[in-house]
Amino acid sequence: MEDIEAIAALQDPVRRRLYEYVAAQGREVGRNEAAEATGVARTLAAHHLDRLTEAGLLDSGSRRLTGRSGPGAGRPAKVYTRARAERSVSLPARDYRTAAELLAEAAEQAGLDAGLRAAARRRGEALRGPTAPCGGLEEAMEVLAARGYEPHLEAVGGAEEETGTGERVVRMRNCPFHAVAERFPPLVCGMNLALLEGLLGADGPVRARMDARPGECCVVVEDSKNNDR
């Protein structure tokens, strides 16, 4: 019931826009920023952001948005980030996560990593179908977004870069296999990499490679002409 109530909180269109905006930033978001981005009054944004926090969909805290400290730095402002907890509803009840964890445990103990990666690569190719490999990072982002990875462009070196030129990679804020990957990281991350190799096309102008970073998917996508790191 708790998950149903949390998901029901997104039924309100303003609340849903606010949630989607905060979730898409991958960082702390203040009330003023969220209100401006979604086109609502600050007081209304604050009300809905707090409701999302009560529902467990957002986490909240406080910090000085000026970046300064000491006298004249201003009062700490309330900020919000997407909660790490997962929410799902299945009617009637299903428990696919336990099945996935049991299968992953058995595969790991039996040393089936190579077979799993081969199966994942075939599945990725089947999902791509007869279409050619992705033609570039922008096209790859569309494919990844459709699969729930929440991709974003980042300039090499760490600064986010939604526009502009220069060497860039696609990082992903969400791992669709997060819960199982936490328990069996080498097995599941290797499967994820192979799946994306098949989905994006291993012989095209983009490639997927492992580059784990806390809080994000373990795989990044880059121009295939980039040198191996």
Side-chain angles (χ1 to χ4, degrees), residues 59-163:
D59 290 332
S60 64
S62 61
R63 67 177 177 86
R64 289 186 173 89
L65 298 178
T66 61
R68 302 194 305 271
S69 60
R75 297 176 58 185
K78 201 163 188 179
V79 292
Y80 303 84
T81 56
R82 179 168 58 181
R84 295 295 296 168
E86 295 181 14
R87 302 287 184 178
S88 63
V89 175
S90 177
L91 299 173
R94 297 288 187 262
D95 191 2
Y96 300 115
R97 175 173 170 176
T98 296
E101 290 177 347
L102 289 171
L103 290 168
E105 182 177 355
E108 187 174 72
Q109 291 177 353
L112 299 178
D113 303 56
L116 178 60
R117 289 195 298 271
R121 192 171 289 106
R122 289 194 300 270
R123 175 59 63 90
E125 292 169 351
L127 290 170
R128 176 161 53 91
T131 60
C134 282
L137 294 183
E138 286 73 17
E139 185 179 342
M141 287 181 67
E142 294 178 7
V143 173
L144 294 167
R147 304 295 303 175
Y149 283 92
E150 300 182 6
H152 63 100
L153 278 175
E154 187 176 279
V156 172
E160 190 157 333
E161 182 184 285
E162 297 297 343
T163 59

Side-chain angles (χ1 to χ4, degrees), residues 10 13 15-25 52 58:
L10 296 173
R15 200 173 299 156
R16 181 160 186 165
R17 290 205 310 273
L18 286 163
Y19 173 79
E20 289 174 344
Y21 178 77
V22 173
Q25 304 315 302
L52 290 166
L58 296 181

